[in-house]
Amino acid sequence: MRIPFVSFLPMERELGVELRNGFERVLTKSWYISGEEDAAFEQAFAQFCGVEYCIGVGNGLDAIMLALKALGIGAGDDVIVPSNTYIATALAVTYVGANPILVEPDIHTFNIDPTLIENAITAKTKAIIPVHLYGQACDMDPIMDIAEKHGLFVIEDCAQAHGALYKNRRVGSFGDVAAFSFYPGKNLGALGDAGCVVTNDQEIAKKVRALGNYGSDYKYHHIYKGNNSRLDEIQAAFLSVKLPSLDRMNAERRRIAEMYSSGLKNEKVICPIVLPDCVPVWHIYGIRCDEREALEKHLNGLGIGTNKHYPIPIHLQECYADLELSQGDLPIAEEISRTELSLPMFYGLTDEEVQYVIDSVNSFV
């Protein structure tokens, strides 16, 4: 049996006709930027997240960067970022001229450890970016309490957690602003690059929209030195087709994850832990194993696709040598990078395929 790490085919078989109809609808209108499709998706996604405003942008990295700009964060400011996350979170901070301050995660959930945040706060700290990694919400109550205590902004990075819940609220509805990616592999993915910013603050929403439109609030009038980062009509149409199925498809991911968690019995393998107040959406199902490379070779040899999230932590990436951090400085992020292995996780995995993965992991010696 061959099982890919990810496949879009089951979803595309279900929604293919609607996706094609969405494309034809845009083509017929001959309006490709900032039109009716964009406005309709923004309204629907804001309602889905439980917030007032959604602004479509070009991708998830731009979403974080524009959120930071809209909050006035820039040169000389410090922004707290998890040490265990995709590099885009840190890059967005760097691109606005601020400094990413890396804080270690909880080894069990992979998310930022709230108990370590206050020790990283200085007079230069302006914001915290909690990343809802792999589809599980961060422990938001203590993070919001810390932010309020120290007068800090909170920018949620929701790139991997579309629809995830914390205490019965959607991620993206807690911070001052939140960023989403709609990269094709996400739970809610476009058929190309796309992203959005959501917020309950009207002024932030207006500023993000202007910043993503060359800094313009109306045509040829530029109030900021902005960027070109807008959600195009075709991707908005595709996202509008997929959004009504998101909760259903996320529920199926949870069922698959439950099969993994109950079926994986190999003592060499550590399964992820879900916090009591969280309902994850399992963008990634990441196990840990001290013999990760051997386990990966074993699974690949049996036809099972895998991935590693992420094999080199941010502070050891060549591009972040300026942080002047070395091996051993952030041991929890390094431990996750060394041991994490992502199993197949996508809508449409059959029970037979999931059981084959489980049996294959359990047979590793």
Side-chain angles (χ1 to χ4, degrees), residues 222-280:
H222 303 270
I223 52 179
Y224 311 112
K225 295 174 181 175
N227 301 81
N228 174 20
S229 185
R230 298 169 295 195
L231 176 62
D232 68 67
E233 287 287 280
I234 289 176
Q235 299 305 337
F238 292 150
L239 290 167
S240 290
V241 168
K242 289 185 172 186
L243 180 59
S245 299
L246 180 57
D247 278 337
R248 174 175 61 86
M249 293 184 174
N250 281 342
E252 178 63 10
R253 285 174 176 263
R254 280 193 290 275
R255 193 184 70 81
I256 293 166
E258 288 167 4
M259 284 187 67
Y260 279 146
S261 294
S262 62
L264 292 172
K265 303 297 184 182
N266 193 321
E267 62 182 13
K268 293 177 179 289
V269 168
I270 301 171
C271 293
I273 290 175
V274 178
L275 294 178
D277 294 318
C278 293
V279 179

Side-chain angles (χ1 to χ4, degrees), residues 24-93:
E24 291 292 340
R25 191 168 64 245
V26 174
L27 192 64
T28 300
K29 293 177 183 175
S30 295
W31 191 287
Y32 302 109
I33 299 289
S34 302
E36 294 175 357
E37 298 290 343
D38 190 17
F41 173 72
E42 289 179 348
Q43 182 178 5
F45 194 67
Q47 184 175 8
F48 175 83
C49 293
V51 298
E52 290 292 325
Y53 306 100
C54 170
I55 307 93
V57 300
N59 54 68
L61 171 57
D62 283 359
I64 305 171
M65 181 183 69
L66 292 170
L68 288 162
K69 282 189 171 185
L71 295 173
I73 295 170
D77 294 334
D78 287 349
V79 177
I80 291 173
V81 172
S83 59
N84 178 54
T85 183
Y86 185 56
I87 198 169
T89 314
L91 287 175
V93 176

Side-chain angles (χ1 to χ4, degrees), residues 193-207:
D193 271 323
C196 80
V197 174
V198 302
T199 183
N200 283 310
D201 189 308
Q202 185 177 38
E203 291 307 310
I204 292 175
K206 287 180 179 178
K207 192 169 183 180

Side-chain angles (χ1 to χ4, degrees), residues 118-335:
E118 279 198 283
N119 288 340
I121 295 173
T122 70
K124 297 193 296 181
T125 306
K126 294 296 188 295
I128 305 168
I129 305 183
V131 180
H132 306 298
L133 203 65
Y134 304 166
Q136 178 169 194
C138 294
D139 192 1
M140 289 305 297
D141 278 356
I143 293 173
M144 296 306 298
D145 288 344
I146 292 167
E148 183 177 3
K149 176 181 175 181
H150 295 274
L152 305 178
F153 294 115
V154 173
I155 301 154
E156 293 178 73
D157 182 340
C158 306
Q160 299 183 7
H162 312 71
L165 298 176
Y166 176 80
K167 295 188 175 180
N168 296 317
R169 282 176 58 185
R170 305 270 196 193
V171 297
S173 65
F174 293 90
D176 299 277
V177 64
F180 286 84
S181 166
F182 300 125
Y183 179 77
K186 306 299 185 184
N187 293 38
L188 179 62
L191 273 63
D193 271 323
C196 80
V197 174
V198 302
T199 183
N200 283 310
D201 189 308
Q202 185 177 38
E203 291 307 310
I204 292 175
K206 287 180 179 178
K207 192 169 183 180
V208 168
R209 192 175 298 282
L211 284 165
N213 187 34
Y214 299 97
S216 174
D217 56 347
Y218 61 89
K219 196 168 185 177
Y220 302 134
H221 182 257
H222 303 270
I223 52 179
Y224 311 112
K225 295 174 181 175
N227 301 81
N228 174 20
S229 185
R230 298 169 295 195
L231 176 62
D232 68 67
E233 287 287 280
I234 289 176
Q235 299 305 337
F238 292 150
L239 290 167
S240 290
V241 168
K242 289 185 172 186
L243 180 59
S245 299
L246 180 57
D247 278 337
R248 174 175 61 86
M249 293 184 174
N250 281 342
E252 178 63 10
R253 285 174 176 263
R254 280 193 290 275
R255 193 184 70 81
I256 293 166
E258 288 167 4
M259 284 187 67
Y260 279 146
S261 294
S262 62
L264 292 172
K265 303 297 184 182
N266 193 321
E267 62 182 13
K268 293 177 179 289
V269 168
I270 301 171
C271 293
I273 290 175
V274 178
L275 294 178
D277 294 318
C278 293
V279 179
V281 295
W282 297 108
H283 173 60
I284 290 165
Y285 189 91
I287 60 176
R288 290 194 297 119
C289 178
D290 280 334
E291 301 172 41
R292 192 258 308 275
E293 307 307 325
L295 174 57
E296 182 176 44
K297 183 178 180 180
H298 169 75
L299 294 177
N300 293 168
L302 293 171
I304 298 169
T306 56
N307 208 331
K308 296 187 280 285
H309 297 89
Y310 300 96
I312 305 174
I314 291 171
H315 69 287
L316 299 181
Q317 295 283 357
E318 185 176 350
C319 66
Y320 273 113
D322 59 314
L323 294 179
E324 298 183 346
L325 293 169
S326 304
Q327 185 86 36
D329 287 340
L330 294 168
I332 302 177
E334 292 169 22
E335 176 72 4

